[in-house]
Amino acid sequence: MSLEKADALVIRQADFSESSRVVTFFSREFGKFAALAKGAKRLKGPFDAALDLLSTCRVVFLRKSSGTLNLLTEARLTQRFTPQNSGTPGSLNSVYGGYYVAELLNGLTEDFDPAPEVFDLSVATLNSLSAVDSQFPSIIIHFQISLLQLIGLLPNLFECSVCGESVDQNGGYAHWVSQGGLLCQACRREEYSGASISAGSIEVLRRMTQGSSELISRVKLSRQQAEECQKLAVSAITQAMGRRPSTLRYIQF
Ligand SMILES: [Zn+2]
């Protein structure tokens, strides 16, 4: 049992008792962990607004041995997630985009597996979702692709998985989901049926892995690029999670 401090994002809340909640955090220092927040449901509780979904806060918690629930002792709000104002065209997208970030963090990471880059990516993505001048499809595709890359599950975007030929900029490809790669036209077979993706969209995805969320959030994709990139990202995420994310139905480009 030890007392730990962390910068953490609230990614899930569940009622525990009449006055308490179990809060799941994704932290910079420890990755994901859940902790019991006693009194969190009381109006003038000890944690105020620090535990709202998608808030970033500085927390202190008692880390218990495995099998026992950690205990939250302090939470101080550092940044609240502020979706775009209701009434603006992007307001629902920014709310749902935030829920989607939380669901993927919860579904694709393990407890106490530190991944500071994933924390930074998530906070930057929430900031981009709050910005009025941002492009929703680019933010969501960038988050998914970067997360897949950071957890080591990004499909190989450089060569055909069967023949090994480099991606040709004029070619058409298919996403071979189970193998985490691409198939060129010559190697494409019925039994590997996967969504088609053009070399242009593959190039978009590659650039996404190299840019910051803030930079990418202003890039406007063509409809075809957004659709192809999103299909590949969602297929890879569904494969990694073992199910289709439930908040995905609210993500519309
Ligand atoms: Zn091939």
Side-chain angles (χ1 to χ4, degrees):
M1 213 162 65
S2 56
L3 204 58
E4 308 280 15
K5 289 179 184 166
D7 285 313
L9 187 64
V10 177
I11 57 169
R12 190 164 184 266
Q13 299 167 323
D15 286 350
F16 184 77
S17 67
E18 211 165 291
S19 62
S20 303
R21 282 203 169 106
V22 173
V23 180
T24 306
F25 296 97
F26 191 85
S27 69
R28 175 171 245 286
E29 293 80 354
F30 303 99
K32 184 174 68 175
F33 68 90
L36 178 62
K38 285 188 177 166
K41 284 170 73 181
R42 287 203 302 266
L43 270 180
K44 294 271 175 209
F47 307 112
D48 283 333
L51 301 182
D52 288 350
L53 190 67
L54 299 171
S55 281
T56 312
C57 48
R58 182 83 183 145
V59 298
V60 181
F61 66 103
L62 207 53
R63 183 171 174 175
K64 302 283 185 74
S65 54
S66 62
T68 343
L69 205 48
N70 307 296
L71 183 68
L72 189 69
T73 60
E74 271 180 64
R76 195 161 39 81
L77 180 72
T78 41
Q79 193 182 326
R80 194 191 298 269
F81 174 52
T82 47
Q84 295 168 36
N85 286 335
S86 56
T88 61
S91 67
L92 276 182
N93 278 345
S94 66
V95 172
Y96 292 141
Y99 293 166
Y100 189 54
V101 167
E103 183 178 3
L104 295 197
L105 287 177
N106 203 22
L108 289 170
T109 63
E110 302 291 332
D111 284 3
F112 289 106
D113 182 12
E117 298 99 335
V118 173
F119 177 82
D120 293 343
L121 168 71
S122 307
V123 171
T125 301
L126 294 176
N127 288 338
S128 297
L129 286 167
S130 304
V132 189
D133 59 345
S134 57
Q135 297 287 331
F136 185 63
S138 298
I139 300 173
I140 294 296
I141 293 166
H142 175 259
F143 175 72
Q144 297 169 112
I145 288 297
S146 306
L147 181 60
L148 285 166
Q149 186 180 37
L150 290 170
I151 63 176
L153 294 174
L154 181 69
N156 178 343
L157 299 172
F158 291 87
E159 62 224 7
C160 170
S161 293
V162 173
C163 68
E165 282 283 322
S166 299
V167 168
D168 170 350
Q169 53 176 333
N170 300 312
Y173 292 81
H175 177 203
W176 193 6
V177 183
S178 64
Q179 298 300 313
L182 300 168
L183 285 170
C184 72
Q185 290 296 356
C187 296
R188 201 167 174 175
R189 300 277 184 282
E190 283 295 317
E191 60 267 33
Y192 307 147
S193 64
S196 299
I197 183 162
S198 63
S201 295
I202 295 169
E203 178 60 21
V204 169
L205 290 173
R206 282 197 215 161
R207 289 202 188 151
M208 289 237 176
T209 64
Q210 291 154 8
S212 71
S213 179
E214 202 201 346
L215 200 71
I216 301 291
S217 71
R218 303 219 175 83
V219 175
K220 191 162 166 45
L221 303 176
S222 72
R223 184 154 195 91
Q224 187 198 351
Q225 285 172 335
E227 278 171 5
E228 289 182 353
C229 293
Q230 178 65 352
K231 241 180 214 159
L232 180 139
V234 166
S235 301
I237 278 169
T238 300
Q239 166 90 0
M241 277 177 77
R243 63 177 173 86
R244 210 173 147 80
S246 58
T247 42
L248 194 58
R249 73 187 115 131
Y250 302 115
I251 303 294
Q252 277 157 16
F253 293 169

